[in-house]
Amino acid sequence: MPVARCHFADGKIFEVEADPGESFLEASLRAGAPVRYQCRSGSCLSCACSSDSNGLKMRPGVASSLLKTEIAAGRRLCCIGQLQSDDELHFAYRSDSAGPAEVSAFVDAIEWMAPDVVKLRVELADGEWIDFQPGQYVRVTPPGAETARSYSMCSTPETLPTLEFMIRVLDKGVMSDYLRSSAQRDDVLTLSGPFGGFTWKGDRREPHLFIAGGTGLSPIASIIEQIRATSGRKPPMFLSFGCATRDNLFAGDYLKLLAQWLPTLDVRIAVERGAEDGLLAGNPLTAITEAQISSDVRAYICGPPAMIAAAVEKLSAAGVPANQIHYEQFIASQQSEA
Amino acid sequence: MADQKPTRRRQGSQARANTAQVQSEYQPYIDATWGFINHWYPALFSDELPEDKVEGIQIAGIQLALRRVNGKVLAIKDQCLHRGVRLSANPMCFNKETISCWYHGFTYNLETGNLDTIVGNPDDPLINNTALTTYPTQEVAGIIFVFVRDDEFPDEDVPPLSEDLPIRFPESSERFPHPLWPAAPSLLDDDAVALGIHRTGEANWRIACENGFDNAHILIHKDNTIVQVNNWVLPLGIRPASDDCISPIEDKDGPKGLMQWLFTDRWEPILENQKLGLKVNGINSRMYRTSVVLPGVLMVENWPEEHIAQYEWYVPITDDTYEYWEVLVRRCPAEEDRKSFEYRFDTVFQPLALRGFNDCDLHAREAMQDFYADGSGWHNEQLVDSDVSAITWRKQASRHHRGIAKVPAGVQGREKASSIRLRNITEGKSPGYFVDKIDDLNNHNRASVRSRKR
């Protein structure tokens, strides 16, 4: 098998042996080389490196976000790269700094969208930066706290250095306590990330089905905003959003605006208790009928685990292939709280 | 300071038609300072671009070079990838397929935008590895249209020109009937003849566009020559009399905008203002009807005469200049029809309508510009019920536009006080639509050249 020597900015070299048929990223992770990565599909550029002798080749026929000119200049993506012969590869970061960034961010605004939902807006500190794809999340540590909580952005990369989150405020929890009691403008939070593979897959021909429960709306709003900002034809989109009760329903006006601005977006809102004023009674799956489920539909689902399980089951039973169903679980406590 | 009672910031009255809620519904329109992109815009009259000529213009912050090759108009981004030089400033074409940058010879294929070669560096690896964006074009009735798009906008998504032109008659006669005049002519009619002018206006394109179909602005036109010479008597204003006074136009695969039901009982002419002691007797004016579709195309049916429609575009150049297109369209099946239309255009329509009458509109748009120039006017304006036309248009535009032009980088007019711009102004050349062409490479005219005295 060919071998690549991976050079990092701190001078460390990792030797990676790879099968010419496999993804070079997988081989380097197996060999313990601290290659940064994110999308694993040739789009995010996290795993970019420079090749000296063209042993690492891009898998033929796979689209990547590298320009032809960059490829000609020796730039490669590990995730869709295949090692055909020995090579020297150069990574622009230190071997001990790989992975997501950790940055500081100032609180700009805290807006209560419902009795238990906050929209948090932060601005990255001067000189610090995080890139992300719509749908991803970061881990947020409140001032003085030891532990972090995970939240998905509802804003898009276009508004960086400003990030926005829709956050569910629980009765207890490190972030919830902070938001309810002491949070104020200009507080400094620690953000690390981005994380997560729940991102827009980018095909504008397929009908899109979005199913969001509670603050599971946050990453889905980011994806829809990204589609709104993308040049060219918009896909047909159907968003079904649900909250437990009429009283903790949030973002209704915002979703109405989104539907106003996007002629190809249909929005349904359901509440389990207290349905009135055109709201559907039930959970977000209530509004999903055969009309929204075609075999070419691409589904993005985010919310509580039970809702996700039910949605996946419903879509699978209707014949939607598993690789067209994308979901992100929002679980309170350790990993996620939203 | 201490004993002063704090007062609230001045807010717009809650009685105004553009409440905060209404404003939020057309926020994308407020964001479209540099125009909407991924739309068809008129670029030049056909006779402005003879075979092999290259012309440079700017639309929605994008610099475009147009060249006619074997009769066909090709459009390419007018900004060399190498150092940003405008290709059209001193056009250099060695063959029919390409245009070369006159500075270092980067040579682009006009059809694909591909960097085909570099005059003095034909083996450079950059060749065939980079490209300028090209823009689809179409020529109808003597007007060259360009599809001004984002660099990423895919070819297969380019809609037909008809989706960015007003609705057509008689196919829409049933839906929008009007017994008072024959079917309005369209640029796309086989025998359509379009005569008109275009010129640069100093205002944001939206200010100009909204003026075109603002029913209450009839007040500014009462003293116009074309009105007086015809003994027309205009009402003081026109108010909406019914909530169906405007119909949205939003057919699938068709133009998007609105139609106003003028000269029907859905709009009420105002004949009297008692407080001012004003009264109008015996209304006698031309029956016209206005509609507007994206990206800001006005159609005035039955104006300025029977069988004619006036079309207008307010093509954004920068955030504070627009190219104002005024075009009269008439169907002329026979050569004599064309001749008499041309004669009447030269002797009556151009001086009295496109100039006299619409010059008055240019004054009004400029008068609004300062209020809106810094963006605050969109929130501070206090709209009234007769502004339903503008509000409906803003909402329709917010919903159906194909993209908001980004604030451009590195183009003419982005920096308001650049040294070249200031020099041009002192030399009497206002910032405008066309590229500043180099007419003599051996002569750079400067007012003060100093030479060493011996």
Side-chain angles (χ1 to χ4, degrees):
Chain A
M1 284 199 286
V3 175
R5 284 156 50 86
C6 299
H7 302 255
F8 287 83
D10 50 350
K12 289 260 171 59
I13 298 170
F14 292 77
E15 291 203 349
V16 176
E17 200 178 17
D19 185 286
E22 71 176 325
S23 154
F24 182 72
L25 176 65
E26 303 307 326
S28 22
L29 295 179
R30 199 172 57 231
V35 173
R36 290 184 191 174
Y37 64 97
Q38 187 55 247
C39 74
R40 294 178 186 243
S41 61
S43 58
C44 75
L45 300 180
S46 301
C47 64
C49 64
S50 296
S51 150
D52 276 355
S53 44
N54 198 23
L56 182 63
K57 298 218 193 285
M58 301 287 265
R59 185 143 49 92
V62 177
S64 84
S65 21
L66 281 183
L67 304 175
K68 273 192 203 167
T69 45
E70 293 176 312
I71 294 171
R75 294 278 284 169
R76 295 289 181 272
L77 298 181
C78 296
C79 64
I80 56 168
Q82 294 173 328
L83 193 65
Q84 304 298 323
S85 56
D86 292 354
D87 203 349
E88 306 284 326
L89 303 175
H90 301 270
F91 295 83
Y93 44 87
R94 300 173 56 86
S95 64
D96 53 4
S97 70
E102 185 170 295
V103 297
S104 299
F106 287 83
V107 172
D108 263 356
I110 300 146
E111 177 202 339
W112 286 87
M113 308 177 80
D116 62 346
V117 179
V118 153
K119 182 186 258 184
L120 172 68
R121 192 172 81 228
V122 306
E123 187 187 48
L124 298 176
D126 195 23
E128 306 204 30
W129 202 259
I130 273 185
D131 270 320
F132 70 96
Q133 297 180 71
Q136 288 193 298
Y137 65 91
V138 295
R139 292 177 58 75
V140 181
T141 313
E146 297 283 305
T147 45
R149 292 288 182 261
S150 298
Y151 297 104
S152 300
M153 282 66 79
C154 61
S155 57
T156 67
E158 296 196 18
T159 62
L160 282 168
T162 296
L163 298 144
E164 288 185 331
F165 307 85
M166 295 173 186
I167 296 176
R168 172 98 183 276
V169 180
L170 306 168
D171 292 340
K172 240 182 99 182
V174 57
M175 191 69 179
S176 296
D177 292 344
Y178 163 70
L179 286 172
R180 211 177 316 96
S181 51
S182 65
Q184 53 183 330
R185 195 183 148 83
D186 291 335
D187 282 356
V188 178
L189 312 177
T190 304
L191 268 49
S192 68
F195 301 100
F198 183 72
T199 56
W200 184 39
K201 307 307 168 200
D203 194 321
R204 292 174 294 113
R205 307 284 147 188
E206 301 161 337
H208 286 45
L209 173 61
F210 299 102
I211 304 173
T215 48
L217 181 63
S218 199
I220 282 177
S222 177
I223 292 174
I224 295 176
E225 287 285 2
Q226 179 71 24
I227 292 173
R228 187 161 85 86
T230 300
S231 220
R233 196 178 298 242
K234 311 280 186 279
M237 293 176 275
F238 188 94
L239 164 62
S240 185
F241 169 54
C243 288
T245 69
R246 176 80 183 81
D247 288 340
N248 57 17
L249 177 68
F250 64 97
D253 288 344
Y254 168 68
L255 294 180
K256 216 184 283 172
L257 272 186
L258 266 188
Q260 162 77 21
W261 295 340
L262 281 164
T264 64
L265 172 67
D266 228 340
V267 176
R268 297 286 186 284
I269 302 178
V271 290
E272 284 170 43
R273 293 185 296 285
E276 55 186 37
D277 304 336
L279 299 174
L280 299 169
N283 66 30
L285 292 183
T286 314
I288 313 287
T289 64
E290 277 175 24
Q292 284 82 45
I293 309 179
S294 53
S295 60
D296 61 341
V297 77
R298 197 166 277 276
Y300 296 87
I301 310 162
C302 190
M307 185 206 85
I308 291 179
V312 171
E313 193 185 318
K314 184 166 186 171
L315 294 177
S316 303
V320 179
N323 63 3
Q324 287 167 218
I325 304 174
H326 310 278
Y327 54 87
E328 179 95 315
Q329 303 217 351
F330 272 27
I331 310 164
S333 83
Q334 328 99 328
Q335 165 76 3
S336 287
E337 168 199 291
Chain B
M1 282 301 283
D3 18 310
Q4 267 178 20
K5 254 179 89 178
T7 52
R8 272 274 178 197
R9 287 162 193 277
R10 202 170 77 94
Q11 304 261 320
S13 159
Q14 286 311 301
R16 64 183 180 175
N18 55 322
T19 58
Q21 169 63 30
V22 170
Q23 282 184 40
S24 69
E25 290 177 28
Y26 55 73
Q27 184 61 43
Y29 181 80
I30 297 177
D31 294 338
T33 307
W34 284 77
F36 289 123
I37 200 164
N38 307 325
H39 284 277
W40 288 96
Y41 287 102
L44 296 169
F45 285 117
S46 297
D47 56 17
E48 292 181 279
L49 197 71
E51 181 71 14
D52 279 330
K53 186 175 180 191
V54 173
E55 196 50 88
I57 57 172
Q58 180 169 316
I59 295 177
I62 295 180
Q63 298 172 154
L64 303 158
L66 287 86
R67 182 186 178 204
R68 189 185 293 278
V69 180
N70 300 324
K72 187 170 186 277
V73 178
L74 299 166
I76 188 168
K77 185 177 274 191
D78 192 14
Q79 191 172 50
C80 183
L81 289 162
H82 182 216
R83 307 290 298 272
V85 166
R86 287 191 77 164
L87 312 173
S88 64
N90 187 33
M92 180 182 272
C93 297
F94 294 102
N95 54 40
K96 287 280 191 185
E97 287 77 46
T98 62
I99 185 168
S100 300
C101 180
W102 54 280
Y103 193 17
H104 299 93
F106 278 51
T107 299
Y108 301 95
N109 186 291
L110 285 162
E111 291 270 4
T112 65
N114 183 56
L115 178 67
D116 276 0
T117 187
I118 300 171
V119 175
N121 196 358
D123 296 323
D124 193 276
L126 194 56
I127 291 165
N128 291 324
N129 272 314
T130 189
L132 283 173
T133 302
T134 57
Y135 304 89
T137 67
Q138 192 176 335
E139 218 164 345
V140 292
I143 301 176
I144 299 166
F145 286 87
V146 177
F147 187 77
V148 180
R149 60 173 167 179
D150 280 330
D151 295 338
E152 306 83 40
F153 191 94
D155 285 341
E156 63 268 25
D157 284 357
V158 176
L161 171 62
S162 58
E163 288 191 26
D164 286 346
L165 287 179
I167 54 166
R168 295 182 65 179
F169 293 90
E171 63 191 47
S172 303
S173 294
E174 212 163 291
R175 185 156 54 128
F176 299 114
H178 221 298
L180 300 173
W181 58 75
S186 161
L187 279 177
L188 298 172
D189 291 339
D190 286 338
D191 47 11
V193 172
L195 302 174
I197 58 177
H198 68 94
R199 47 181 157 162
T200 301
E202 284 79 23
N204 184 266
W205 72 276
R206 294 165 296 184
I207 301 297
C209 181
E210 293 178 1
N211 159 259
F213 54 93
D214 169 7
N215 297 318
H217 92 290
I218 198 163
L219 184 66
I220 68 170
H221 288 303
K222 69 183 170 58
D223 298 331
N224 286 150
T225 309
I226 196 171
V227 172
Q228 293 302 324
V229 80
N230 283 301
N231 291 312
W232 292 337
V233 179
L234 308 182
L236 298 172
I238 306 175
R239 277 198 60 238
S242 137
D243 58 11
D244 57 359
C245 59
I246 293 176
S247 293
I249 297 173
E250 45 190 357
D251 305 333
K252 191 174 180 294
D253 304 329
K256 306 291 194 289
L258 62 87
M259 168 64 82
Q260 311 203 77
W261 293 85
L262 298 180
F263 296 96
T264 70
D265 54 12
R266 303 183 195 183
W267 288 89
E268 174 200 1
I270 302 302
L271 306 179
E272 188 174 4
N273 185 314
Q274 287 185 343
K275 189 147 199 171
L276 298 174
L278 294 174
K279 194 160 183 181
V280 178
N281 289 312
I283 296 281
N284 162 37
S285 68
R286 269 210 77 69
M287 308 282 193
Y288 62 91
R289 183 167 68 179
T290 50
S291 54
V292 62
V293 298
L294 278 165
V297 194
L298 179 75
M299 173 169 64
V300 190
E301 294 171 64
N302 206 36
W303 175 269
E305 274 188 0
E306 192 113 320
H307 299 291
I308 300 176
Q310 178 163 335
Y311 289 74
E312 297 190 10
W313 287 262
Y314 318 89
V315 181
I317 304 170
T318 63
D319 54 347
D320 62 359
T321 51
Y322 65 98
E323 193 67 4
Y324 180 34
W325 284 76
E326 308 166 74
V327 174
L328 301 183
V329 182
R330 191 187 209 291
R331 302 183 65 163
C332 299
E335 187 55 28
E336 309 88 77
D337 301 329
R338 167 195 286 270
K339 283 211 171 108
S340 75
F341 181 39
E342 285 175 351
Y343 184 73
R344 199 135 174 85
F345 178 83
D346 291 340
T347 54
V348 180
F349 302 145
Q350 174 157 350
L352 292 189
L354 305 193
R355 298 301 311 275
F357 188 85
N358 291 124
D359 277 16
C360 180
D361 291 309
L362 286 175
H363 283 296
R365 298 167 196 168
E366 277 180 35
M368 282 186 279
Q369 172 60 15
D370 281 338
F371 184 68
Y372 290 91
D374 59 14
S376 60
W378 300 102
H379 307 290
N380 292 337
E381 56 181 11
Q382 305 218 12
L383 301 185
V384 293
D385 66 355
S386 53
D387 293 310
V388 61
S389 315
I391 291 176
T392 307
W393 155 245
R394 293 174 185 182
K395 288 187 191 176
Q396 285 290 83
S398 295
R399 179 167 166 82
H400 293 291
H401 71 85
R402 298 194 199 99
I404 294 169
K406 296 182 184 72
V407 177
V411 304
Q412 179 274 124
R414 166 71 197 277
E415 293 295 316
K416 302 302 180 205
S418 76
S419 54
I420 296 173
R421 217 162 185 247
L422 294 175
R423 187 196 70 207
N424 286 347
I425 291 165
T426 58
E427 289 173 353
K429 284 185 276 187
S430 2
Y433 182 56
F434 288 100
V435 69
D436 200 9
K437 276 196 172 154
I438 299 168
D439 32 60
D440 182 356
L441 272 173
N442 276 300
N443 190 357
H444 191 273
N445 279 317
R446 292 305 305 269
S448 58
V449 175
R450 299 188 182 201
S451 50
R452 181 181 161 199
K453 298 217 164 49
R454 274 154 296 174

